[in-house]
Each structure stands twice: as C-alpha cells, then as structure tokens.
Amino acid sequence: MSVEVVMPQMGESIAEGTISKWLKQVGEKVERDEPLLEISTDKVDAEVPSPIAGTLLEIRAQEGETVEVDSVVGILGAEGETPASSNGGEAAEVETEAANDNKGIVEVSEHPMKPDDAKVTEVAVEETVQAAPAPTAPDETGTSGGEATEIPMPQMGESIAEGTISKWLKAVGDTVERDEPLLEISTDKVDAEVPSPVAGTLLEIRAQEGDTVEVDSVVGVVGAKGSSVASPPAAPAPPAVAETAPQVPVAAAVEQSSSSNGRDKSLGEQSIEDLRKTRSSPLVRNIAKEHDVDITQIPGSGMSGRVTKKDILSFIDSGAAVKPQDLLNQGTERTVQASEPKAEMPQPQSQTQTQSIQTQGYKAPNVTSGVGDTIEQMSVMRKKIAEHMTFSKQTSAHVTSVYEFDMTNVAKFRNTKKAEFQERYGTKLTYMPFIFQAVTNALREFPVVNSQVSGDQVIYKGDINLGIAVALDWGLIVPVIKRADSLSLAGLAQSANDLADRARTKKLMPDEVSGGTFTITNPGVFGGLFGTPIINQPQVAILCVGTIEKRPKVLTTPDGDDVIAIRQMAYFALTYDHRIVDGADAEKFLSFMKNYLETTEFTL
C-alpha cells in the first residue's frame, strides 16, 4: 500500500511552494513524523514530516520545482512496493488485494488540510480484515464503513507547538457537518475555531476544555453514529539513557539550536532527554540564543519534558543563566559560573544579571479572597499577554515622547470624502489610514525605528509591516498589515478594517498576526488623551494615538497676529527602546509625522 505526500497548505494566502531540499532519497527508509523534505513559500520555510513510516518509493517533484498546494510530490510505501498511480492530488487510494488473496481491505483515512495548518496533512492508516473485499458504501453522515476520523490539534503557525482547548462547540453524540466549527482553541498567537474535517457524529472528546496539548495530538473523534473508536496508539517507552542510543524518530518540530547554545551534537548523538528538551518553540530557542542559555540545563514543564517560555524566563530570572563576558576574546580561560557572587562579575553587568538582581529576593504578596469577591481563572490569551508584556519590560529600556498634532487638515479632507469613499470602496474612512501613511513614510525616513534587536546586532527590516492593536471582549490581539508602505490610502483602510473585523470573529490566519515591525495602538477611540504603551517584542517602538477632539489653539496669521482658533487636536505618544533608538531619533520621527499630517494634500 502506497501513500501520497502532498504539498501542504502553509497559510490561506499561499497557493504554491518550492521544494528546497529532499532529506531522503528514493529507497531510503523514513519514520513517521521524521522530516522528509524542506519547502519554501513567500511566507515561511518549513520541513514536511512523513505521514507514515515506510520507504520513499518515488520523488515526483524535484528540488527547485514550484508546485501548487495539494500536488503530489512523492510516494511512500513498503520496501519493494510498486507506487500506485497518481489520482490528481486527492486522498491516496488503496489498491485492493485480489479477491482470493483473503488479506482484507486496507483503507486510508485522511484529515483534510485546514487552511491554517502549517504541516502536511496527517494520514491515519488503518487495516481492517474483512471477509468480503467489496468496499463499504458511505452512510448517511458522509463517513464510510464505520470509520472514525481523529481530530488533531492543528498547527497554527511555525512557532506554535501547543494549543489550549477554549471551548467545545459540540458535545459527544451531537451531529456535525463538514467544515462546521467543532471547537475553539487558543495559542499565544491567535484564537481560532477548528472545523470538522468530515460530516458525522462527535464520538469522543479526548482533550477537555482548559487542557493544553501539543500540536497533532488527537483531541476528539468524529465518525458515523455507532462507529467503534480506535484506541490511540500507546507512546513507546523511552529506553534507558545508559543504553546504546537507538534510532529515534525525530518530529519535524525538533530543530538544532545554535552553536552558541552548545547544541553542536548531531541528532543521532543526542539523548532522549536532549531531544525532548530541544522540542521547544522557536520563540523559546530565540530567547535561549539571546541569553546564551543551554536549553538542556532547564527542567521542562511542558509535555514530554519540553521547555516552555515560562520555564526559560523563570530560569533567567532566577540568576542561574549568566551570560559569559568577552574574556575569551582576550585570551582569558576563565569561565563565568552561575554560582559566582555578583560582586565579582566583570562590569558592566549584562542585561540578564541586572534582571536577576532586580528580582532577587522579591516574593509576590499573598492575596486572600473575601466575602463578595469573585474569582475568575485567567484565560490563555490573558496569561500570554501578561507573559509577553512582562518579558518586554524586562528586555527593553522604555522611554516615551509625546507630541501634540493638529489633525484639522486630515479632518477636513475626511469629512468631504468619507461618503464617496464608502460608496467606492465599501468600507469606512477613519483617521487611522492617514496615520498609517504618515507612519510608513516616517519609518522610511528613520529606519532605526523599524529595526529589531538580535543579541548585539541591530536588524534594519526591509519591509514595513504595521501591527494594529485590536481590543477584544476577551483580550487584545495585534493583526499585521504586511508591506503597508506599498498600499494606498484606500488599501490601508480596507486592510485595517478587514483585519479588525476578522479579529473580532476569530477568523485570522496565523501569518496575519506575525511578522510585524512596528505597532500602533489607538486608545483614543475610547476617549483617552494619550498613553505610554509597552513595546511589542522584538520591535523597538510602538505609537499610541490619543483621542482627536476640538480644542482651542493659538495660531499666527500671515500678518503676524496671534489668534485663538478651534482646531482638531490629538496627542501622539511614541514609546521606544532606548537601547537602540536615541531620543533625537524619536523626536525627529514624531516631528516628521506631525508635519506630514498637518500639511499633506491627501488624495484617495
């Protein structure tokens, strides 16, 4: 029996991918979930894991070829088996053995690829021995022959390794249509609904509301009413570390950390414990790289011992992670140990040491509830926001500058054009597209504000991707307008309104909440004058827009007379990372924006 490997859907807006590299050759064996090939799209580079254990029988798309999503790129099966002919990219059909062979029928059940999945569809292969070889006709629910389809936790982005079940929208025994929302999940990037891959009945719920599970873990089962549910395969018991290192299947999520983290060993030389700990998200590995932390030093609290973001931040805050100084560059052999007294450390102190001293000895006060108090568990999104904001304050040196802008020029143009704009483009013309346009022009003028920090390097981003903070009833999310500087006023308005609307209905894709280079938040919509927001890491600045309202303003006439006029005024506050952005750069940035908004002759 052969199984087709297809080009996966790496995001809703991605229609094709390029084969970067085949990691296996025809005739080589591959384990289930072992990386099989590497692909590139205009959004992301990724490894495609093998859907089954077997042998690579055929390569249908060579390295360098660009193929459409769902096109067959290779064939897997048993050693010596003849590959089945392609069926146009649909689910792999199984060759039925001869009727007198009496070996039964092998069926392949496939989970259809959801648009936000970032990994190849997992194909569940089950063998059922039957007396007659005739195929079973589909039943009224749309599932065939009592087959049950497992619902995996989807991959919601390249850097996301787990998700939390927020809410089951169906109960066991409820019927569900194909593509009907089945459950809601939360990750540290986005909240989303998971649609049912098939029509049928929810037979089993394996992960309850509030449970956090790894990507590809089975959370439920859908099938025909009365279908038997196959028991999930038991996880193999890990061999003792003292034994000779066995051949361990490596999941696609396992990646080598950088050499600065001490991860120079090949996968085959790593112990089971090492492999589990390096199954961390790219975010965790980036934090480890920035702080020169060896992940294997950290006890992981995640599934299978995986190191989570909370684990590594706690490890850094504890003072156990001390960044070595540049003594080795001077020929000194001295190694800085975490246990050395802080007073003996070379000066100036590293960022990690400073954080450790600031938090050393601090203990959160005990909080007790009283009569009339209401206790509510933090949502996943709220906990992630808290972690991200705290991490940002510990990382960047926050400074805020505030300017007052005269928005009368923008207000006059908007008032005369908003009806025409609504009729022509089908969306509202707010003040924000004008501000977006001013920001993109200012970022081109002062690229340091559109930069990011990586260790001791400053990366000046080529694209301008604007994050727009959207307030939700259950938290805050920051969708991103990609390449905002290439859009017109109308394009900015349409993109922003579309992203905000879909954020409030949980319809955003993973790539739409990542990749931002600068963020704008608008508390002014609620009436706030200005704020001092926290930088959205790894960015170096965030702009806060205050309410736009009529205020008296002193103006000077062409004759030199001072008069008081009623103008549309607003405060703009720029919070920036003073490690990278100097005060002069921030002031020039705001001054450029002020002049742009007050004097530009806008057009639709």
Side-chain angles (χ1 to χ4, degrees):
M1 182 202 71
S2 58
V3 173
E4 295 176 340
V5 181
V6 299
M7 173 62 67
Q9 178 85 41
M10 302 297 290
E12 187 179 40
S13 61
I14 299 176
E16 61 185 16
T18 301
I19 308 294
S20 304
K21 184 179 180 181
W22 277 97
L23 305 176
K24 296 290 181 179
Q25 299 301 319
V26 172
E28 284 190 82
K29 292 184 178 179
V30 61
E31 298 293 335
R32 178 187 174 95
D33 289 334
E34 185 179 4
L36 185 60
L37 70 153
E38 294 176 352
I39 62 173
S40 293
T41 71
D42 60 349
K43 301 286 186 183
V44 68
D45 292 343
E47 292 178 339
V48 176
S50 174
I52 63 168
T55 300
L56 182 57
L57 302 178
E58 182 181 352
I59 291 177
R60 292 189 178 172
Q62 303 300 320
E63 293 179 2
E65 286 188 27
T66 298
V67 296
E68 292 183 348
V69 165
D70 291 337
S71 298
V72 178
V73 298
I75 303 290
L76 293 168
E79 190 170 2
E81 181 181 356
T82 302
S85 59
S86 173
N87 58 1
E90 296 178 356
E93 293 181 355
V94 178
E95 295 180 355
T96 305
E97 300 289 338
N100 57 1
D101 197 4
N102 200 26
K103 288 188 178 179
I105 300 173
V106 180
E107 295 180 315
V108 175
S109 170
E110 180 180 52
H111 301 302
M113 174 61 66
K114 294 172 280 297
D116 50 3
D117 284 351
K119 292 176 67 177
V120 70
T121 302
E122 177 177 325
V123 180
V125 181
E126 297 186 6
E127 187 168 327
T128 307
V129 179
Q130 301 181 8
T136 305
D139 65 12
E140 59 184 335
T141 63
T143 59
S144 60
E147 289 271 329
T149 300
E150 294 179 337
I151 311 298
M153 172 64 68
Q155 178 88 32
M156 299 299 293
E158 186 184 24
S159 63
I160 298 176
E162 63 186 14
T164 300
I165 309 294
S166 303
K167 183 180 181 182
W168 278 96
L169 304 176
K170 297 288 183 178
V172 172
D174 287 356
T175 56
V176 61
E177 297 298 325
R178 179 187 174 94
D179 294 330
E180 182 181 1
L182 187 59
L183 69 152
E184 294 179 355
I185 62 172
S186 289
T187 72
D188 58 357
K189 297 284 187 183
V190 67
D191 288 356
E193 294 176 340
V194 176
S196 176
V198 295
T201 300
L202 182 56
L203 302 176
E204 183 180 352
I205 289 177
R206 291 186 182 172
Q208 303 300 320
E209 293 180 1
D211 287 355
T212 299
V213 297
E214 289 185 329
V215 164
D216 289 338
S217 298
V218 177
V219 298
V221 178
V222 172
K225 212 166 205 178
S227 297
S228 58
V229 180
S231 299
V241 176
E243 297 178 5
T244 303
Q247 296 297 319
V248 182
V250 182
V254 179
E255 297 179 13
Q256 286 288 93
S257 297
S258 65
S259 58
S260 64
N261 289 334
R263 308 304 299 149
D264 292 329
K265 294 185 291 183
S266 66
L267 287 176
E269 294 173 333
Q270 294 184 36
S271 67
I272 300 296
E273 183 180 1
D274 288 341
L275 288 170
R276 284 175 173 173
K277 288 182 176 178
T278 53
R279 285 190 65 192
S280 309
S281 69
L283 173 62
V284 171
R285 293 194 294 276
N286 286 338
I287 296 172
K289 180 180 178 181
E290 181 177 346
H291 295 279
D292 288 343
V293 173
D294 185 348
I295 294 180
T296 59
Q297 298 178 27
I298 307 173
S301 63
M303 285 193 172
S304 301
R306 188 173 61 81
V307 178
T308 66
K309 183 169 73 173
K310 182 179 180 181
D311 294 333
I312 193 168
L313 292 180
S314 298
F315 182 79
I316 291 170
D317 288 344
S318 70
V322 177
K323 184 180 289 186
Q325 306 301 309
D326 295 330
L327 298 176
L328 292 179
N329 295 335
Q330 303 168 7
T332 306
E333 295 296 331
R334 178 173 179 265
T335 301
V336 179
Q337 300 294 334
S339 59
E340 288 184 17
K342 297 292 185 293
E344 297 179 11
M345 298 301 297
Q347 299 296 326
Q349 292 174 324
S350 69
Q351 173 189 323
T352 302
Q353 292 170 266
T354 304
Q355 292 172 6
S356 301
I357 293 172
Q358 290 174 344
T359 58
Q360 189 176 26
Y362 175 76
K363 184 178 180 181
N366 292 326
V367 179
T368 57
S369 58
V371 177
D373 293 348
T374 300
I375 301 174
E376 182 179 291
Q377 185 66 30
M378 277 191 185
S379 66
V380 174
M381 175 178 279
R382 177 55 54 197
K383 287 190 286 188
K384 297 298 182 183
I385 290 172
E387 291 174 4
H388 195 60
M389 295 299 97
T390 303
F391 174 69
S392 182
K393 292 292 284 187
Q394 292 173 342
T395 300
S396 297
H398 283 62
V399 180
T400 302
S401 295
V402 181
Y403 267 53
E404 188 178 38
F405 290 10
D406 187 338
M407 297 292 288
T408 307
N409 175 49
V410 175
K412 288 180 177 178
F413 178 84
R414 174 177 172 269
N415 287 335
T416 58
K417 298 292 184 179
K418 61 183 180 181
E420 177 188 344
F421 189 90
Q422 176 75 47
E423 182 179 355
R424 183 187 298 184
Y425 298 106
T427 191
K428 292 180 180 179
L429 180 62
T430 67
Y431 285 103
M432 295 310 295
F434 301 92
I435 296 169
F436 296 154
Q437 201 169 74
V439 166
T440 58
N441 280 276
L443 290 175
R444 283 290 178 225
E445 191 74 16
F446 305 99
V448 69
V449 187
N450 195 52
S451 67
Q452 294 178 359
V453 181
S454 177
D456 59 357
Q457 295 180 328
V458 180
I459 301 174
Y460 294 85
K461 306 300 288 185
D463 289 336
I464 293 178
N465 300 331
L466 294 185
I468 51 173
V470 177
L472 308 173
D473 292 339
W474 56 92
L476 180 77
I477 196 167
V478 186
V480 178
I481 303 175
K482 301 294 177 66
R483 293 176 288 280
D485 55 324
S486 67
L487 299 177
S488 65
L489 200 66
L492 289 167
Q494 290 174 313
S495 296
N497 293 343
D498 171 62
L499 288 170
D501 289 343
R502 288 191 291 114
R504 296 184 182 101
T505 55
K506 301 183 179 180
K507 301 298 183 184
L508 290 174
M509 294 295 105
D511 63 342
E512 293 175 323
V513 290
S514 61
T517 62
F518 184 91
T519 298
I520 301 172
T521 181
N522 180 24
V525 70
F526 303 108
L529 289 179
F530 66 87
T532 57
I534 298 175
I535 297 167
N536 187 11
Q537 297 296 323
Q539 299 166 28
V540 297
I542 181 172
L543 181 71
C544 181
V545 180
T547 188
I548 300 172
E549 62 181 2
K550 292 180 180 179
R551 290 200 287 265
K553 175 74 174 177
V554 175
L555 299 177
T556 302
T557 67
D559 297 331
D561 296 327
D562 290 337
V563 296
I564 295 177
I566 304 300
R567 309 288 288 180
Q568 295 279 1
M569 305 299 295
Y571 293 108
F572 284 68
L574 181 73
T575 295
Y576 50 97
D577 187 343
H578 214 342
R579 297 178 304 166
I580 306 301
V581 182
D582 292 332
D585 293 322
E587 299 290 322
K588 291 175 183 177
F589 179 90
L590 287 169
S591 180
F592 182 96
M593 279 193 63
K594 175 181 172 69
N595 181 68
Y596 186 92
L597 290 169
E598 291 180 353
T599 62
T600 298
E601 293 183 5
F602 293 100
T603 64
L604 293 183

